[in-house]
Amino acid sequence: MDRGGAGRADEPISPGLTRRWQLEAVRVRTRTALQEVLIADTAHGVTLFCDGERQSAEHTQLTYHEALFVPAALLAGRRERVLVIGSSEGVVSELAVACGAGRVDHVDLDRECVRLCAEHLPYGYTPATLAAAEAHDGPVRMHYDDGLAFVDTTDGTWDVIVVDLPDERPDDPGAQLNRLYTGDFLTRCAARLRPGGVVVSQAGSPAQWRDATLRAAWARFGAVFPHRAYVGSPEHEWAFVCGLPDTPAGEPAELVAARLDGLAYTPATLDAASLRAALVPPLRLRRSLTRMEIDPAARSSR
């Protein structure tokens, strides 16, 4: 990574392939207690990088965050109480409130990163709205805690649980965030759902040449939940998986499309037709998985 007020950021995205970002200006670059955080102006607007990976960008962040949250909210029987784990920018918390949540618990381990996002990103929390969330003054309540510990120790249940973390790191088994991608953690989240609730997690890219984490997530959700739904975001090259302990009220793609008009929030990047298409898993994903591919951690937690 070049030093100075401009330069570039090289983002590894698969073995042998790196994406190079030209930095027009660097707004902040620091090492928190947990990760390296870079916020810079790029061709995609103000962009957040954590440990060298692009996490969100001004021009595309709403496409990503709506695909993450809106289908899960529509699959849920209710959306009154929402738990968000990760998602430092605060956009998902704001979407949850816009969709009708009266209580949003936002859990993030990196206090400094969350505050830097509020200060420097033109989306998500502002310093004022974050301060209110930290004071538990309003529907959003900010908790600086480990997501697994919060789920285990907090006396609460939710309609939608959102797990929005940097990518799983199978090449680094000791990475702290890997614990929140296991079947065991999904099982703990499922136990904290209210009737009709949904757990949704970002799951990586559906592109054939980098879909290993998506296939692993799909297998784990299938091992833990009686019902699961794929959500793709073709305009953002990303995918998400929803888990439902209870039988949904209809076929998931038709259900979310039918419920869209009744949502208090009108998405800017999704309509009924795109939702129907987004919930169709890639053919490779539908064909490739067998019970033998489910990882031991997921299998033992069923």
Side-chain angles (χ1 to χ4, degrees), residues 140-162:
V140 179
R141 300 186 177 191
M142 189 72 220
H143 311 269
Y144 295 110
D145 200 352
D146 173 73
L148 193 152
F150 188 88
V151 168
D152 276 353
T153 61
T154 301
D155 184 17
T157 55
W158 297 274
D159 300 306
V160 183
I161 297 178
V162 180

Side-chain angles (χ1 to χ4, degrees), residues 49-73:
F49 300 87
C50 293
D51 282 341
E53 293 183 359
R54 184 271 314 265
Q55 299 303 316
S56 62
E58 182 179 0
H59 292 177
T60 57
Q61 61 83 19
L62 190 60
T63 302
Y64 172 90
H65 288 115
E66 286 190 343
L68 167 65
F69 183 74
V70 171

Side-chain angles (χ1 to χ4, degrees), residues 5-9 21-28 38-49 57-59 120-123:
R8 69 174 190 260
W21 293 82
Q22 287 299 129
L23 307 181
E24 298 172 9
V26 172
R27 299 190 176 214
V28 63
L38 168 68
I39 299 175
D41 294 350
T42 73
H44 291 194
V46 185
T47 304
L48 168 68
F49 300 87
E58 182 179 0
H59 292 177
H120 294 282
L121 295 180
Y123 49 92

